[in-house]
């Protein structure tokens, strides 16, 4: 950010009075433009013994597989976002279940929140940000082509819980992808 979204004047990095981190502060109207982490919301849609994955059509990690997920919008609940992202990316309708995973992604200033879900019917397809969507059994999952560490963590915990009959909430922190 170079210019104030309130008045259009230049902004500069300053530590506001009473604060302890540098913020972008308008040199004219004094507005402090805080920037905080973004929330990414997704789900693991299940159909019988299969789960629905999406092959990404956009960077980062185009061509790699993920669960339907995306940024929480303003004035939206987590559950609404998970259902909306699944409709947008996989053209699929889900009933959400319990919260499966919270993944801190501090290097990207993001929090990823993943739910369990059930496909309402075996209808799906590629949305605008997806090359292909497909159902996979656990032993068919393309583990070497999973897009992000948070998705890998989510899927591993999903299958482990399904095998044990549990529904735990799993919390972890991941670092950057090592290529
Ligand atoms: Zn301003």
């Amino acid at each position: 950010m170079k210019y104030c979204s309130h008045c259009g004047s230049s902004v500069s990095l300053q530590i506001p009075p009473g604060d302890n981190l540098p913020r972008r502060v308008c040199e004219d109207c004094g507005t402090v433009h805080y920037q905080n982490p973004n929330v990414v919301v997704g789900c693991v849609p299940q159909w019988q013994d299969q789960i629905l994955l999406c092959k990404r059509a956009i960077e980062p990690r185009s061509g790699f597989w993920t669960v339907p997920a995306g940024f929480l919008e303003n004035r939206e609940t987590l559950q609404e976002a998970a259902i909306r992202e699944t409709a947008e990316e996989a053209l699929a309708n889900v009933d959400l279940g319990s919260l499966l995973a919270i993944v801190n992604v501090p290097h990207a200033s993001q929090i990823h929140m993943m739910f369990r879900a059930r496909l309402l019917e075996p209808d799906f397809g590629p949305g605008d940000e997806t090359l292909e969507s497909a159902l996979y059994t656990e032993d068919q999952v393309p583990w070497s082509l999973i897009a992000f560490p948070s998705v890998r963590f989510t899927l591993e915990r999903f299958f482990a819980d399904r095998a044990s009959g549990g529904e735990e909430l799993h919390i972890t922190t991941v670092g950057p992808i090592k290529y």
Side-chain angles (χ1 to χ4, degrees), residues 3-11 25-31 33:
Y3 301 104
C4 176
S5 56
H6 187 64
C7 76
S9 297
S10 296
V11 299
V25 180
C26 177
E27 293 170 358
D28 190 17
C29 76
T31 299
H33 297 276

Side-chain angles (χ1 to χ4, degrees), residues 28-100:
D28 190 17
C29 76
T31 299
V32 182
H33 297 276
Y34 294 97
Q35 293 183 313
N36 296 101
N38 287 311
V39 178
V40 170
V41 192
C43 67
V44 181
Q46 187 172 7
W47 177 258
Q48 297 170 354
D49 67 337
Q50 299 174 300
I51 60 159
L52 186 63
L53 296 178
C54 297
K55 194 179 200 177
R56 290 172 61 81
I58 54 169
E59 295 297 342
R61 304 290 274 170
S62 180
F64 287 77
W65 291 86
T66 183
V67 295
F71 290 108
L72 182 66
E73 299 285 0
N74 291 337
R75 309 187 70 83
E76 188 175 46
T77 68
L78 291 173
Q79 293 90 332
E80 287 167 348
I83 291 168
R84 175 182 55 75
E85 287 290 344
T86 307
E88 288 176 1
E89 296 190 352
L91 309 181
N93 296 315
V94 288
D95 256 350
L96 281 192
S98 54
L99 187 57
L100 164 62

